[in-house]
Amino acid sequence: MPRKSFVPGAALVAAAALAVGLTGCTGGSGPDGSDADAKDGGAASSNPAAEPGRYQTLPEACGLPSRSAIRGMLPGDGQPLSSAEADKVYGGTADITYDTDRRVGCRWTRETTAGTRHIGLDIQRVVSYDGAVSDDDKAQGIYDKKELAAQIPSGAGSPSPTASSPSASKDKGNDKGTGAVPNGASNPKGKAPSGSPSPSSDPSSDPSAEPSGSTAPRVLDGLADAAFLNDKLVTADSGVHRDVTVVFRTSNVIVTLTYDQWSTDKTMLPDSQELQDKARSLAGDLADNLSE
């Protein structure tokens, strides 16, 4: 007797499910009736990657400031230097970094009978690995954290330029990068000459007294894309030192400039105005040099 062919009910259900699945793979639509692949492609095309920063590399840090600017910030109280000593002092010592396209730095130091001065320069190039965040925005976020950590008073901006201010008196016709304030130029009448700690204006010679008015920590207007200045007076068993820091952002690069003076005599305070003027002037030169 011939065998009858038949398809069990379970096989019919499986075949129907397979057909539906194949249809979904080849021509399925989203809940709104639009094609799923077309929707994804549309979203990608409407959100292009964020713009890269202006800087793709970094300069050599020790060579970025002019030699004359460094010399003006490291006065020697008339103490002569040999050619080799001058090259060592004003040439600086480069920081050791693992990727000079991402971070570079340099340090300068000069010791004198009036005290020791240090200059520190740190340059960081910021790269965002988030396609929705530009390099500039990433750098601004890092800068904002630095400003917050410095506890700059709210609403503290740059004072109006005066005749003695580097931003007001700087001759645009001079050689770029010379920007150091001449020795003693920023000192009010009666103060010690450049390179010597200034006597405290407080009769009690209290080294904990912080600067006020135009020398207070503040946001700096007109320097790069964003900038601030911090000024701290610190006492220690070995003496007193004033630390001035200028931080600024230009596109996706953040520059931190530190300038400090140490004195073993706690009654002779490093002059805040002089240190700030010279640090601010050098920061302006650095911003200009980076933009070239």
Side-chain angles (χ1 to χ4, degrees), residues 67-81 89-90 109-119 180-184 187 193-197 259-261 274-275 278:
R67 179 67 67 93
S68 60
I70 297 299
R71 185 183 297 110
M73 297 175 73
L74 301 176
D77 298 334
Q79 300 177 21
L81 293 175
V89 171
Y90 304 132
T109 300
R110 186 167 189 186
E111 298 180 5
T112 69
T113 55
T116 301
R117 297 200 187 198
H118 305 89
I119 305 171
V181 177
N183 288 349
N187 290 341
S194 175
S196 301
Y259 184 34
D260 64 75
Q261 179 178 354
E274 182 209 353
L275 296 182
K278 290 185 175 182

Side-chain angles (χ1 to χ4, degrees), residues 273-287:
Q273 189 68 61
E274 182 209 353
L275 296 182
Q276 286 196 24
D277 284 350
K278 290 185 175 182
R280 172 63 179 85
S281 180
L282 179 58
D285 288 343
L286 294 173

Side-chain angles (χ1 to χ4, degrees), residues 2-33:
R3 179 179 298 176
K4 294 182 179 180
S5 62
F6 69 93
V7 178
L12 288 173
V13 174
L18 178 61
V20 172
L22 292 173
T23 301
C25 292
T26 57
S29 301
D32 58 355

Side-chain angles (χ1 to χ4, degrees), residues 139-215:
Q140 182 64 39
I142 295 174
Y143 168 86
D144 289 341
K145 291 180 180 179
K146 289 179 178 289
E147 183 177 315
L148 182 63
Q151 298 181 330
I152 302 300
S154 177
S158 298
S160 300
T162 62
S164 62
S165 171
S167 60
S169 61
K170 186 177 180 181
D171 183 357
K172 296 298 184 181
N174 291 342
D175 292 338
K176 178 180 286 292
T178 58
V181 177
N183 288 349
S186 63
N187 290 341
K189 184 177 181 181
K191 287 195 174 183
S194 175
S196 301
S198 303
S200 172
S201 59
D202 185 344
S204 64
S205 297
D206 178 12
S208 65
E210 284 293 338
S212 60
S214 64
T215 60

Side-chain angles (χ1 to χ4, degrees), residues 10-119:
L12 288 173
V13 174
L18 178 61
V20 172
L22 292 173
T23 301
C25 292
T26 57
S29 301
D32 58 355
S34 61
D35 184 86
D37 290 340
K39 180 178 180 180
D40 291 342
S45 60
S46 64
N47 293 288
E51 289 293 326
R54 173 179 179 178
Y55 301 96
Q56 301 301 310
T57 186
L58 290 175
E60 195 273 315
C62 292
L64 188 62
S66 69
R67 179 67 67 93
S68 60
I70 297 299
R71 185 183 297 110
M73 297 175 73
L74 301 176
D77 298 334
Q79 300 177 21
L81 293 175
S82 67
S83 177
E85 290 172 334
D87 288 341
K88 182 179 180 180
V89 171
Y90 304 132
T93 301
D95 291 346
I96 298 175
T97 59
Y98 296 100
D99 187 350
T100 55
D101 281 337
R102 292 295 299 274
R103 196 161 205 151
V104 293
C106 192
R107 300 289 180 269
W108 297 262
T109 300
R110 186 167 189 186
E111 298 180 5
T112 69
T113 55
T116 301
R117 297 200 187 198
H118 305 89
I119 305 171

